[in-house]
Amino acid sequence: MPTADAVLVLTGTFDPTADLVIEELNRRGTPVFRADTAWFPSRLALAAGLDGASGWAGTLATGRRTLDLSAVRSVYYRRPTAPEFPAEMSAEARSVASAEARRGFGGLLSALPCRWLPPPGRAADAEYKPFQLRVAAESGLRVPRTLITNRPEAAREFADGIGAPVVYKPFTPIRGTVGGQSVAVYASVLSTADTGDPSIRTTAHLFQEWVPKAHEVRLTAVDGRLFAAEIHANSAAAEVDWRSDYDSLTYQACDPPAAVASAVRRMLGRLELPYGAFDFVVSPSGDWTFLEVNPNGQYGFIEQATGLPITAAICDYLEGVRQT
């Protein structure tokens, strides 16, 4: 039986953040259709047609459920994985099938006239740190002095000019397995010798001034509503990058300064995003410095620790409930 007026949740098989949203929508009685793009084409069937100006109509179906595409209320685009194709397909055929799925299946979903959280194209643009840093500064947020380079001598000159510690940060999350061990690259404070390392020449590197911190803040914005939480690090590793040692962290809900709140809303307006997970450093004197925004960032650990109603705000947005 088709599922109408539903929220389409696109995410991977294991996603505790999406689970929070789905559980809340179920509690509210809102129909939910969960799928992973990896299920296409073997476990997810698509059939949709266009007839004049009435828009696309058709179905998305698994072996057990069917979604009426013309009645999709909204799409929660979390972290779906790539379509999977039969192992016996040649590499050339798989490449073609993947491109066709992206433009055909993905293109059809993006053509649905409904709200998305986040809008895929806008979210992809906002993933670029150089772009978001520029927009943050233009929106009135304080940003750290930053250098992007593949020249070791430029990195050394930048560090010398700063006259304070310099931090290296990867542009994208880097996680993997080396020698059977899970590894990740986090932000790191560099020595003078590090800033002249010849390996800098191998690709683009991001260097920023170290901002003295009393604590950090994760500020989650949903459709203009702001939920901020202080993050206090209790280990040397977490003091540099709190993601490296979650067990050492403590959290406390807080209110952002009015100027920061206005700038955050202004930035999201410029990025055309309804959602953003912002990271700030708060100095001992109380100044807030923007580090980055993730247009699809995690929030569950903040809600669990502080009780901030972020899931409810996301569900309000997906249901079209406007909060004032």
Side-chain angles (χ1 to χ4, degrees):
M1 183 174 182
T3 298
D5 198 29
V7 175
L8 171 59
V9 177
L10 294 172
T11 194
T13 302
F14 179 74
D15 185 355
T17 298
D19 291 343
L20 291 174
V21 172
I22 291 170
E23 289 169 5
E24 175 63 14
L25 290 172
N26 286 334
R27 188 190 66 78
R28 297 181 180 199
T30 301
V32 176
F33 188 95
R34 177 176 182 160
D36 185 5
T37 47
W39 301 351
F40 183 83
S42 61
R43 291 176 288 161
L44 192 62
L46 168 69
L50 179 67
D51 185 8
S54 58
W56 289 97
T59 59
L60 193 63
T62 66
R64 300 175 58 188
R65 304 185 70 206
T66 300
L67 175 68
D68 179 356
L69 291 172
S70 65
V72 173
R73 173 186 297 198
S74 57
V75 179
Y76 185 34
Y77 188 86
R78 264 291 296 167
R79 296 186 175 177
T81 51
E84 296 178 352
F85 301 98
E88 61 270 18
M89 289 181 71
S90 67
E92 294 80 6
R94 187 177 292 107
S95 177
V96 171
S98 178
E100 292 296 279
R102 184 172 65 255
R103 292 180 174 88
F105 176 40
L108 176 69
L109 293 178
S110 67
L112 297 178
C114 63
R115 59 177 51 202
W116 284 67
L117 194 154
R122 299 302 182 190
D125 291 343
E127 292 283 359
Y128 290 102
K129 286 188 178 179
F131 177 54
Q132 61 176 245
L133 285 165
R134 191 205 80 196
V135 176
E138 292 174 348
S139 300
L141 292 171
R142 181 193 300 265
V143 299
R145 287 175 287 180
T146 303
L147 173 72
I148 298 172
T149 187
N150 71 327
R151 296 176 56 233
E153 57 272 25
R156 175 69 63 83
E157 291 170 6
F158 177 72
D160 291 343
I162 291 290
V166 170
V167 178
Y168 160 72
K169 298 178 180 179
F171 289 101
T172 57
I174 301 175
R175 298 181 180 87
T177 303
V178 176
Q181 299 293 320
S182 296
V183 296
V185 177
Y186 298 108
S188 56
V189 179
L190 304 182
S191 67
T192 302
D194 291 332
T195 58
D197 192 316
S199 66
I200 291 172
R201 298 188 190 279
T202 61
T203 190
H205 290 74
L206 175 71
F207 302 101
Q208 288 183 327
E209 64 177 322
W210 169 262
V211 180
K213 63 179 72 172
H215 57 268
E216 296 189 50
V217 167
R218 166 60 64 92
L219 186 156
T220 307
V222 186
D223 196 26
R225 300 165 69 183
L226 307 183
F227 305 93
E230 297 176 0
I231 301 177
H232 294 269
N234 297 292
S235 73
E239 179 69 18
V240 177
D241 189 327
W242 53 260
R243 298 170 302 170
S244 66
D245 188 5
Y246 279 93
D247 290 341
S248 77
L249 305 178
T250 57
Y251 309 88
Q252 180 179 329
C254 65
D255 294 318
V260 170
S262 296
V264 163
R265 294 187 177 103
R266 191 157 47 244
M267 182 176 176
L268 286 177
R270 290 179 180 228
L271 295 174
E272 299 182 46
L273 291 174
Y275 176 95
F278 289 75
D279 288 325
F280 289 91
V281 166
V282 180
S283 72
S285 61
D287 293 323
W288 286 45
T289 298
F290 169 87
L291 296 181
E292 64 181 321
V293 59
N294 188 325
N296 208 352
Q298 305 281 15
Y299 73 86
F301 68 105
I302 294 292
E303 180 168 282
Q304 182 179 26
T306 65
L308 290 168
I310 305 171
T311 296
I314 290 173
C315 291
D316 285 346
Y317 178 80
L318 293 172
E319 290 184 327
V321 178
R322 179 65 185 176
Q323 296 293 322
T324 58

